Amino acid sequence: MRSTLAAAVVALTLAGCSDGGADSAVIDAGSPRTPPTFAPTTGPAPTFAPVPESTTTAATPAEGSAAPSTSAPGTPTPPSGDLQAQVASLPVAPAADSGTYERDRFGGGWIDADGDGCDTRCEVLAEERRTDLPGLPGGGWLSAFDGYSTDDPSELDIDHMVPLAEAWRSGASQWSGQQRLAYANDLEHPGSLIAVTAATNRSKSDRDPAQWQPPNRDAWCSYVTDWVATKLTWALTADEAEVRALQNMAGGC
């Protein structure tokens, strides 16, 4: 199914294939994305900026293997049940290494993990394309953050639910370059990457829920769910203000 959808939208996405802008609710209820296999591609291998020594006390997941992997580093399975309980299960720690983040430390851009000619952006757009949106009989996308629908993929960015800079501050500064590459292109865990309008993605930037919430309040519950699931899956920490904001938002779910 994923390859069929990808083939259907790859021509559309070529016009709008960007890296997704600044750091950046599963919209479509289709089947889960197939985990990428990281087959070799024809392009050059990604390189990573060197990471300076860190004094952070945040979680320090074990180094991964030399080859890219979608395995989250030493993580628990996100708990099921009450959303408030999930928020409460987040490991709490202050943000760290804020001044050392660089986008290139997550690989520099989208990759074509399975070598099918459709990179991560293309795969997300294929997965989230819908045919049930009013006024779009030919199909299109719904940006959950603001409730805007469009049939033009160039209007959309692919948002990292937990932005790369936020992940860096929450423990990813201690990962290997290959783990960060896997995180930046995570197609295995629904909700970690979503298609949203460029305007809302750039408004969100690298801010956490204490600093930014989706303007569409109907998206708050899915936003909290996916934010918490991503942090737990990748063993990322949350600061106290972030946890309070998540608890407040989850209270209405």
Side-chain angles (χ1 to χ4, degrees), residues 33-36 38 69-73 106 109-111 113 120-121 123-124 158-162 164 175 179-194 226 229-231 233-234:
R33 301 187 183 108
T34 302
F38 290 94
S69 169
T70 55
S71 298
F106 287 81
W110 304 125
I111 62 172
T120 300
R121 173 184 167 85
E123 298 280 12
V124 175
I158 304 305
D159 176 57
H160 291 93
M161 177 58 62
V162 175
L164 300 183
W175 297 352
Q179 286 173 323
R180 290 192 292 269
L181 178 66
Y183 178 85
N185 292 271
D186 183 10
L187 295 172
E188 182 176 356
H189 304 102
S192 62
L193 293 170
I194 65 169
D226 293 336
T230 300
K231 286 223 160 177
T233 297
W234 288 89

Side-chain angles (χ1 to χ4, degrees), residues 51-64 73 96-98 100 105-106 167-180 235-237:
V51 181
E53 292 187 10
S54 171
T55 58
T56 180
T57 57
T60 56
E63 291 288 316
D97 294 331
S98 299
T100 58
R105 289 178 176 148
F106 287 81
W168 178 269
R169 296 188 293 262
S170 303
S173 62
Q174 302 302 302
W175 297 352
S176 70
Q178 299 299 339
Q179 286 173 323
R180 290 192 292 269
L236 296 170
T237 62

Side-chain angles (χ1 to χ4, degrees), residues 25 143-147 214-226 249:
S143 168
F145 286 170
D146 53 8
N216 176 21
R217 291 180 67 97
D218 290 341
W220 279 19
C221 293
S222 59
Y223 174 62
V224 173
T225 299
D226 293 336
M249 296 173 72

